[in-house]
Amino acid sequence: MTAALLALALTQTQSPFAPPRASMHYALDRTCDLQNVTIDIDVDYPSRTYVGHAVNTLSPLRSGLTEIKLMAGKGVQINGITVDGVATKYRHEDKSLFITVPKTTRSKVINVAIDYKAVNSKAQPFGGEGGFHWISNNTDPTHVGFWTQGESESNCEWAPTWDYPNDMTTSETRCTVQADWDVIGNGRLISTKLSADGKKKTYDWKMTQPHATYLLTLCGGPFDIKKDKWEGVELWYVVPRGDGKYIDGSFGDTKDMLSFYSKVLGVKYAWPKYAQDAMYEFGGGMENVSATTLGSGSLTEPREGFWRMSSLNSHELAHQWFGDLVTCKDWSDTWLNESFATFMQDLYFEHSQGKNGYDREIQGNIQGYLFEARRYKRPISTKMYPSADAMFDSHTYPKGGTVLHTLRRFLGDEAFFNGLNLYLKTWRHTPVESAQLRRAMTEASGVNVEPFWTQWFDKPGHPVLDYTWTWDEANKNAVVTVKQTQDLSDGTPIYVIPTKVGAIMGGNVVEMPVQLNAASQEFHIPLASKPEALILDPDHDFLRQIAELHWSPEELLPILRSAPSCVDRQEALNRLLRESPSDDVVNAVVEQVKKDKEQSMIFESVAPLTRLKKESLRSFWMDQLNHVNMDRQAEAARALGQLAQDPAATAKFQSLVNDKAPINVVIASIQTLARWDKKGNAELFKKALLIPSHRDRIKAAATAALSSDGG
């Protein structure tokens, strides 16, 4: 989006979640309970067509019906329908398929068989939406194949069935493709069968556990596949043919994720296999049951950083519990799927990257939500929306994930995870509503979470806080004034929030509980002496916006050194190095950065130090080139490149142009050497043209360095 369009969007006051753009949506009425769907589909890639046969096994929910409803999108042409083997009449209106049946009896199961074929499928379809997608790249003939995308209600574009999340079914998909292709589907691979002429192969995938139909998937094409096992569960790592070298770097932590989620939730991964299918022309990820689809553009290699794909992978894997094992009944509670996947992704970062990783993920979520909240605010759980797809916004993802973090801190870990365990075990293989999670959390913890639900999930907005403090020497009190300044006109409440005030004293943090519950409050915190700094909510326990931090200059160094959250320590670093900091301040910052030696760093960025271009920091930057974190190494390389040419740095950069160093470090080294001495390093740049790297990024940097302008 251009800056002009963004500015226009931010000035629009009409929320997409208010009438007339939005209207009330309720879960669809059902005529039948879908018990199983079996799909046979024969794919002809050269002609971009397919023919299909779908059998829906249904149990009528009411006696006396003479017509039932399924869904079939505009992407399919219905050629005939039978009910229990007898041809019947039908009406295909928009996406609704009305089928005439003998007068139903509630207990009698019927089989509805539908013959169909693709319509207008030669065009590049769907424009990023769901359905059946043909992979076709005119500039790269190796980009071939197909994938399906069902969420929110698009699987009926290629397989006529009940296409709404308020029903669950078992399934079987038999897909026929050219013999040199593979097909990945849901559940377990039952068989593969080669045609008599050897030109085609049929893959039979079967899922014997109930799931929502939007989670059906087929991915087909020429693949590199690596198989493994985790506690009896088959693991399939699937990438486009030729990309097998990226499998380990992209998916090598999958087993750790499976173990962590199964342990922390007390519910083992439920499905017979887990496939991760990286596909051309697919954006992001989709949690199809037992077979996640991912964009091939997310594939990575170890030299790009520490498990660069773990954010996407952990989010989609979390859905196998939240969204697949237990599914929202309708899209008004999309957050039961997506907020949880976001939170569980954050939780995995806490496991794999420690407290700093978790704190940064939560802060990133808050910022992502606040950007959207400038344009509109809505309840996380709402039946007032313009379309199902509109629910997949930053209220559902980062806001909802952060509110779950808030609930975690409110209840404590034991009660919180006991509640999740009860929720998953009670409602597994069931479409649910928000109230069912609320009940589970209450029953597991003994805490009535309805007031929490009301202000955080059922109402729009968020707390906007402003706090200041003074020292009362006579009474030895820190006097803390806290105001809630959020706009209440749209239904945003004054929040009731148990929190803490953190006082930094002698390098230690003393935390004292307070409760926010009014538009303006004053707290008197008894302390032995005036604190070096004072922070409201020092552990970032809840979703909030603090429009302006009134930290005094004297508070910044204590916060830099001792604040519990890396988010506050990073902010202190940024403030200390604004404008023209003194040498003493710079040295104090460098002292703290030197102590920051772990993979999950306290200071995610030291760019403010880089901007100073201080020759006195040369040895510091040379040392940071050996940091365990690749991002810090790259920052150090870029910082050295801002200084004058130096023999030691030149030699170091020349040694880093190799096939083992982090890609960003190699690129920074090439760019710096090109600025310092393009001609003298020309032979090195020519050798760099041959260094393999993901997306040929090193080759591109070397090519630029050899160009007439030196890159």
Side-chain angles (χ1 to χ4, degrees), residues 140-151:
D140 191 338
T142 67
H143 286 211
V144 297
F146 67 88
W147 44 260
T148 66
Q149 166 63 18
E151 195 174 44

PDB file of all heavy atoms in Angstrom, residues 140-151:
ATOM      1  N   ASP A 140       9.358 -19.759 -15.426  1.00  0.00           N
ATOM      2  CA  ASP A 140      10.071 -20.902 -14.853  1.00  0.00           C
ATOM      3  C   ASP A 140       9.215 -22.153 -15.037  1.00  0.00           C
ATOM      4  O   ASP A 140       8.307 -22.426 -14.248  1.00  0.00           O
ATOM      5  CB  ASP A 140      10.373 -20.684 -13.376  1.00  0.00           C
ATOM      6  CG  ASP A 140      11.336 -21.733 -12.818  1.00  0.00           C
ATOM      7  OD1 ASP A 140      11.438 -22.830 -13.408  1.00  0.00           O
ATOM      8  OD2 ASP A 140      11.990 -21.460 -11.808  1.00  0.00           O
ATOM      9  N   PRO A 141       9.484 -22.937 -16.077  1.00  0.00           N
ATOM     10  CA  PRO A 141       8.649 -24.106 -16.378  1.00  0.00           C
ATOM     11  C   PRO A 141       8.711 -25.207 -15.333  1.00  0.00           C
ATOM     12  O   PRO A 141       7.921 -26.139 -15.376  1.00  0.00           O
ATOM     13  CB  PRO A 141       9.207 -24.588 -17.727  1.00  0.00           C
ATOM     14  CG  PRO A 141      10.597 -24.042 -17.793  1.00  0.00           C
ATOM     15  CD  PRO A 141      10.561 -22.738 -17.059  1.00  0.00           C
ATOM     16  N   THR A 142       9.655 -25.102 -14.366  1.00  0.00           N
ATOM     17  CA  THR A 142       9.698 -26.111 -13.296  1.00  0.00           C
ATOM     18  C   THR A 142       8.639 -25.846 -12.232  1.00  0.00           C
ATOM     19  O   THR A 142       8.383 -26.706 -11.393  1.00  0.00           O
ATOM     20  CB  THR A 142      11.085 -26.150 -12.633  1.00  0.00           C
ATOM     21  OG1 THR A 142      11.317 -24.916 -11.928  1.00  0.00           O
ATOM     22  CG2 THR A 142      12.179 -26.360 -13.667  1.00  0.00           C
ATOM     23  N   HIS A 143       8.045 -24.665 -12.246  1.00  0.00           N
ATOM     24  CA  HIS A 143       7.008 -24.333 -11.265  1.00  0.00           C
ATOM     25  C   HIS A 143       5.673 -24.868 -11.770  1.00  0.00           C
ATOM     26  O   HIS A 143       4.918 -24.175 -12.467  1.00  0.00           O
ATOM     27  CB  HIS A 143       6.931 -22.820 -11.062  1.00  0.00           C
ATOM     28  CG  HIS A 143       8.059 -22.266 -10.268  1.00  0.00           C
ATOM     29  ND1 HIS A 143       7.940 -21.154  -9.460  1.00  0.00           N
ATOM     30  CD2 HIS A 143       9.351 -22.665 -10.146  1.00  0.00           C
ATOM     31  CE1 HIS A 143       9.102 -20.896  -8.888  1.00  0.00           C
ATOM     32  NE2 HIS A 143       9.969 -21.795  -9.297  1.00  0.00           N
ATOM     33  N   VAL A 144       5.381 -26.101 -11.415  1.00  0.00           N
ATOM     34  CA  VAL A 144       4.146 -26.752 -11.842  1.00  0.00           C
ATOM     35  C   VAL A 144       3.501 -27.433 -10.644  1.00  0.00           C
ATOM     36  O   VAL A 144       4.122 -27.602  -9.593  1.00  0.00           O
ATOM     37  CB  VAL A 144       4.414 -27.789 -12.957  1.00  0.00           C
ATOM     38  CG1 VAL A 144       4.959 -27.109 -14.203  1.00  0.00           C
ATOM     39  CG2 VAL A 144       5.393 -28.873 -12.477  1.00  0.00           C
ATOM     40  N   GLY A 145       2.246 -27.846 -10.819  1.00  0.00           N
ATOM     41  CA  GLY A 145       1.539 -28.552  -9.757  1.00  0.00           C
ATOM     42  C   GLY A 145       0.232 -27.865  -9.415  1.00  0.00           C
ATOM     43  O   GLY A 145      -0.295 -27.054 -10.179  1.00  0.00           O
ATOM     44  N   PHE A 146      -0.291 -28.161  -8.224  1.00  0.00           N
ATOM     45  CA  PHE A 146      -1.541 -27.551  -7.781  1.00  0.00           C
ATOM     46  C   PHE A 146      -1.630 -27.665  -6.272  1.00  0.00           C
ATOM     47  O   PHE A 146      -0.924 -28.463  -5.638  1.00  0.00           O
ATOM     48  CB  PHE A 146      -2.761 -28.216  -8.430  1.00  0.00           C
ATOM     49  CG  PHE A 146      -2.977 -29.652  -8.001  1.00  0.00           C
ATOM     50  CD1 PHE A 146      -3.722 -29.958  -6.872  1.00  0.00           C
ATOM     51  CD2 PHE A 146      -2.422 -30.697  -8.726  1.00  0.00           C
ATOM     52  CE1 PHE A 146      -3.914 -31.277  -6.472  1.00  0.00           C
ATOM     53  CE2 PHE A 146      -2.608 -32.017  -8.335  1.00  0.00           C
ATOM     54  CZ  PHE A 146      -3.351 -32.310  -7.208  1.00  0.00           C
ATOM     55  N   TRP A 147      -2.474 -26.848  -5.709  1.00  0.00           N
ATOM     56  CA  TRP A 147      -2.841 -26.997  -4.298  1.00  0.00           C
ATOM     57  C   TRP A 147      -4.280 -26.523  -4.111  1.00  0.00           C
ATOM     58  O   TRP A 147      -4.818 -25.806  -4.950  1.00  0.00           O
ATOM     59  CB  TRP A 147      -1.902 -26.245  -3.364  1.00  0.00           C
ATOM     60  CG  TRP A 147      -1.503 -24.852  -3.766  1.00  0.00           C
ATOM     61  CD1 TRP A 147      -0.333 -24.473  -4.354  1.00  0.00           C
ATOM     62  CD2 TRP A 147      -2.254 -23.628  -3.587  1.00  0.00           C
ATOM     63  NE1 TRP A 147      -0.310 -23.109  -4.566  1.00  0.00           N
ATOM     64  CE2 TRP A 147      -1.473 -22.563  -4.097  1.00  0.00           C
ATOM     65  CE3 TRP A 147      -3.512 -23.335  -3.051  1.00  0.00           C
ATOM     66  CZ2 TRP A 147      -1.898 -21.235  -4.083  1.00  0.00           C
ATOM     67  CZ3 TRP A 147      -3.948 -22.009  -3.031  1.00  0.00           C
ATOM     68  CH2 TRP A 147      -3.140 -20.980  -3.544  1.00  0.00           C
ATOM     69  N   THR A 148      -4.888 -26.950  -3.021  1.00  0.00           N
ATOM     70  CA  THR A 148      -6.229 -26.480  -2.678  1.00  0.00           C
ATOM     71  C   THR A 148      -6.150 -25.652  -1.411  1.00  0.00           C
ATOM     72  O   THR A 148      -5.236 -25.811  -0.595  1.00  0.00           O
ATOM     73  CB  THR A 148      -7.199 -27.656  -2.466  1.00  0.00           C
ATOM     74  OG1 THR A 148      -6.791 -28.409  -1.309  1.00  0.00           O
ATOM     75  CG2 THR A 148      -7.224 -28.565  -3.684  1.00  0.00           C
ATOM     76  N   GLN A 149      -7.111 -24.761  -1.252  1.00  0.00           N
ATOM     77  CA  GLN A 149      -7.186 -23.912  -0.057  1.00  0.00           C
ATOM     78  C   GLN A 149      -8.640 -23.797   0.354  1.00  0.00           C
ATOM     79  O   GLN A 149      -9.472 -23.336  -0.419  1.00  0.00           O
ATOM     80  CB  GLN A 149      -6.583 -22.539  -0.344  1.00  0.00           C
ATOM     81  CG  GLN A 149      -6.889 -21.464   0.680  1.00  0.00           C
ATOM     82  CD  GLN A 149      -6.326 -21.769   2.064  1.00  0.00           C
ATOM     83  OE1 GLN A 149      -5.435 -22.600   2.212  1.00  0.00           O
ATOM     84  NE2 GLN A 149      -6.853 -21.123   3.083  1.00  0.00           N
ATOM     85  N   GLY A 150      -8.953 -24.224   1.582  1.00  0.00           N
ATOM     86  CA  GLY A 150     -10.342 -24.315   1.994  1.00  0.00           C
ATOM     87  C   GLY A 150     -10.860 -23.206   2.872  1.00  0.00           C
ATOM     88  O   GLY A 150     -12.049 -22.897   2.842  1.00  0.00           O
ATOM     89  N   GLU A 151     -10.021 -22.599   3.691  1.00  0.00           N
ATOM     90  CA  GLU A 151     -10.503 -21.591   4.624  1.00  0.00           C
ATOM     91  C   GLU A 151     -10.707 -20.257   3.906  1.00  0.00           C
ATOM     92  O   GLU A 151      -9.830 -19.843   3.142  1.00  0.00           O
ATOM     93  CB  GLU A 151      -9.502 -21.408   5.767  1.00  0.00           C
ATOM     94  CG  GLU A 151     -10.056 -20.671   6.962  1.00  0.00           C
ATOM     95  CD  GLU A 151      -9.061 -20.653   8.120  1.00  0.00           C
ATOM     96  OE1 GLU A 151      -7.868 -20.399   7.864  1.00  0.00           O
ATOM     97  OE2 GLU A 151      -9.473 -20.891   9.263  1.00  0.00           O
TER      98      GLU A 151
END
